[in-house]
PDB file of all heavy atoms in Angstrom:
ATOM      1  N   SER A 471      28.649 -13.694   5.989  1.00 95.00           N
ATOM      2  CA  SER A 471      27.238 -13.922   5.642  1.00 95.00           C
ATOM      3  C   SER A 471      27.073 -14.718   4.359  1.00 95.00           C
ATOM      4  O   SER A 471      26.004 -15.267   4.105  1.00 95.00           O
ATOM      5  CB  SER A 471      26.509 -12.579   5.505  1.00 95.00           C
ATOM      6  OG  SER A 471      26.898 -11.903   4.317  1.00 95.00           O
ATOM      7  N   LEU A 472      28.128 -14.785   3.552  1.00 96.00           N
ATOM      8  CA  LEU A 472      28.060 -15.517   2.284  1.00 96.00           C
ATOM      9  C   LEU A 472      28.861 -16.814   2.324  1.00 96.00           C
ATOM     10  O   LEU A 472      29.136 -17.413   1.279  1.00 96.00           O
ATOM     11  CB  LEU A 472      28.560 -14.626   1.142  1.00 96.00           C
ATOM     12  CG  LEU A 472      27.642 -13.432   0.834  1.00 96.00           C
ATOM     13  CD1 LEU A 472      28.290 -12.515  -0.182  1.00 96.00           C
ATOM     14  CD2 LEU A 472      26.277 -13.908   0.339  1.00 96.00           C
ATOM     15  N   GLY A 473      29.226 -17.246   3.545  1.00 94.00           N
ATOM     16  CA  GLY A 473      29.833 -18.562   3.695  1.00 94.00           C
ATOM     17  C   GLY A 473      31.346 -18.586   3.684  1.00 94.00           C
ATOM     18  O   GLY A 473      31.945 -19.666   3.630  1.00 94.00           O
ATOM     19  N   TYR A 474      31.986 -17.425   3.734  1.00 95.00           N
ATOM     20  CA  TYR A 474      33.453 -17.380   3.726  1.00 95.00           C
ATOM     21  C   TYR A 474      33.954 -17.143   5.142  1.00 95.00           C
ATOM     22  O   TYR A 474      33.689 -16.103   5.739  1.00 95.00           O
ATOM     23  CB  TYR A 474      33.951 -16.262   2.806  1.00 95.00           C
ATOM     24  CG  TYR A 474      33.732 -16.545   1.338  1.00 95.00           C
ATOM     25  CD1 TYR A 474      32.512 -16.234   0.728  1.00 95.00           C
ATOM     26  CD2 TYR A 474      34.735 -17.124   0.557  1.00 95.00           C
ATOM     27  CE1 TYR A 474      32.296 -16.498  -0.620  1.00 95.00           C
ATOM     28  CE2 TYR A 474      34.527 -17.394  -0.789  1.00 95.00           C
ATOM     29  CZ  TYR A 474      33.312 -17.073  -1.371  1.00 95.00           C
ATOM     30  OH  TYR A 474      33.099 -17.339  -2.697  1.00 95.00           O
ATOM     31  N   GLU A 475      34.705 -18.086   5.693  1.00 90.00           N
ATOM     32  CA  GLU A 475      35.262 -17.929   7.032  1.00 90.00           C
ATOM     33  C   GLU A 475      36.435 -16.952   7.027  1.00 90.00           C
ATOM     34  O   GLU A 475      36.714 -16.305   8.027  1.00 90.00           O
ATOM     35  CB  GLU A 475      35.709 -19.280   7.578  1.00 90.00           C
ATOM     36  CG  GLU A 475      34.546 -20.242   7.853  1.00 90.00           C
ATOM     37  CD  GLU A 475      35.016 -21.519   8.505  1.00 90.00           C
ATOM     38  OE1 GLU A 475      36.253 -21.681   8.643  1.00 90.00           O
ATOM     39  OE2 GLU A 475      34.164 -22.348   8.874  1.00 90.00           O
ATOM     40  N   SER A 476      37.107 -16.852   5.877  1.00 93.00           N
ATOM     41  CA  SER A 476      38.273 -15.991   5.758  1.00 93.00           C
ATOM     42  C   SER A 476      37.954 -14.786   4.873  1.00 93.00           C
ATOM     43  O   SER A 476      37.467 -14.938   3.753  1.00 93.00           O
ATOM     44  CB  SER A 476      39.445 -16.783   5.153  1.00 93.00           C
ATOM     45  OG  SER A 476      40.436 -15.926   4.642  1.00 93.00           O
ATOM     46  N   GLU A 477      38.221 -13.576   5.393  1.00 95.00           N
ATOM     47  CA  GLU A 477      38.039 -12.375   4.580  1.00 95.00           C
ATOM     48  C   GLU A 477      38.967 -12.408   3.374  1.00 95.00           C
ATOM     49  O   GLU A 477      38.623 -11.926   2.291  1.00 95.00           O
ATOM     50  CB  GLU A 477      38.310 -11.134   5.418  1.00 95.00           C
ATOM     51  CG  GLU A 477      38.074  -9.831   4.674  1.00 95.00           C
ATOM     52  CD  GLU A 477      38.322  -8.610   5.547  1.00 95.00           C
ATOM     53  OE1 GLU A 477      38.067  -8.675   6.769  1.00 95.00           O
ATOM     54  OE2 GLU A 477      38.782  -7.587   4.988  1.00 95.00           O
ATOM     55  N   SER A 478      40.136 -12.994   3.549  1.00 95.00           N
ATOM     56  CA  SER A 478      41.104 -13.088   2.461  1.00 95.00           C
ATOM     57  C   SER A 478      40.567 -13.946   1.316  1.00 95.00           C
ATOM     58  O   SER A 478      40.688 -13.576   0.143  1.00 95.00           O
ATOM     59  CB  SER A 478      42.419 -13.675   2.978  1.00 95.00           C
ATOM     60  OG  SER A 478      43.321 -13.898   1.915  1.00 95.00           O
ATOM     61  N   ALA A 479      39.967 -15.095   1.656  1.00 95.00           N
ATOM     62  CA  ALA A 479      39.412 -15.973   0.622  1.00 95.00           C
ATOM     63  C   ALA A 479      38.269 -15.280  -0.112  1.00 95.00           C
ATOM     64  O   ALA A 479      38.140 -15.389  -1.341  1.00 95.00           O
ATOM     65  CB  ALA A 479      38.924 -17.279   1.247  1.00 95.00           C
ATOM     66  N   PHE A 480      37.433 -14.563   0.644  1.00 96.00           N
ATOM     67  CA  PHE A 480      36.337 -13.826   0.027  1.00 96.00           C
ATOM     68  C   PHE A 480      36.874 -12.745  -0.912  1.00 96.00           C
ATOM     69  O   PHE A 480      36.391 -12.582  -2.039  1.00 96.00           O
ATOM     70  CB  PHE A 480      35.464 -13.192   1.105  1.00 96.00           C
ATOM     71  CG  PHE A 480      34.512 -12.160   0.574  1.00 96.00           C
ATOM     72  CD1 PHE A 480      33.377 -12.529  -0.135  1.00 96.00           C
ATOM     73  CD2 PHE A 480      34.761 -10.800   0.771  1.00 96.00           C
ATOM     74  CE1 PHE A 480      32.512 -11.563  -0.637  1.00 96.00           C
ATOM     75  CE2 PHE A 480      33.900  -9.833   0.283  1.00 96.00           C
ATOM     76  CZ  PHE A 480      32.772 -10.219  -0.430  1.00 96.00           C
ATOM     77  N   SER A 481      37.864 -11.995  -0.462  1.00 96.00           N
ATOM     78  CA  SER A 481      38.422 -10.911  -1.270  1.00 96.00           C
ATOM     79  C   SER A 481      39.028 -11.441  -2.563  1.00 96.00           C
ATOM     80  O   SER A 481      38.904 -10.814  -3.625  1.00 96.00           O
ATOM     81  CB  SER A 481      39.471 -10.135  -0.471  1.00 96.00           C
ATOM     82  OG  SER A 481      38.879  -9.491   0.645  1.00 96.00           O
ATOM     83  N   THR A 482      39.677 -12.587  -2.485  1.00 95.00           N
ATOM     84  CA  THR A 482      40.256 -13.197  -3.687  1.00 95.00           C
ATOM     85  C   THR A 482      39.171 -13.575  -4.679  1.00 95.00           C
ATOM     86  O   THR A 482      39.290 -13.302  -5.884  1.00 95.00           O
ATOM     87  CB  THR A 482      41.077 -14.446  -3.312  1.00 95.00           C
ATOM     88  OG1 THR A 482      42.158 -14.064  -2.443  1.00 95.00           O
ATOM     89  CG2 THR A 482      41.634 -15.120  -4.553  1.00 95.00           C
ATOM     90  N   ALA A 483      38.101 -14.191  -4.178  1.00 94.00           N
ATOM     91  CA  ALA A 483      36.998 -14.584  -5.049  1.00 94.00           C
ATOM     92  C   ALA A 483      36.308 -13.361  -5.646  1.00 94.00           C
ATOM     93  O   ALA A 483      35.939 -13.353  -6.827  1.00 94.00           O
ATOM     94  CB  ALA A 483      35.988 -15.432  -4.265  1.00 94.00           C
ATOM     95  N   PHE A 484      36.152 -12.315  -4.834  1.00 95.00           N
ATOM     96  CA  PHE A 484      35.486 -11.104  -5.316  1.00 95.00           C
ATOM     97  C   PHE A 484      36.309 -10.430  -6.404  1.00 95.00           C
ATOM     98  O   PHE A 484      35.776 -10.011  -7.443  1.00 95.00           O
ATOM     99  CB  PHE A 484      35.260 -10.137  -4.151  1.00 95.00           C
ATOM    100  CG  PHE A 484      34.421  -8.948  -4.521  1.00 95.00           C
ATOM    101  CD1 PHE A 484      33.040  -8.984  -4.363  1.00 95.00           C
ATOM    102  CD2 PHE A 484      34.993  -7.784  -5.037  1.00 95.00           C
ATOM    103  CE1 PHE A 484      32.250  -7.900  -4.724  1.00 95.00           C
ATOM    104  CE2 PHE A 484      34.223  -6.694  -5.399  1.00 95.00           C
ATOM    105  CZ  PHE A 484      32.837  -6.762  -5.241  1.00 95.00           C
TER     106      PHE A 484
END
Side-chain angles (χ1 to χ4, degrees):
S471 73
L472 292 173
Y474 289 86
E475 292 185 355
S476 162
E477 183 179 327
S478 174
F480 166 75
S481 296
T482 299
F484 188 91

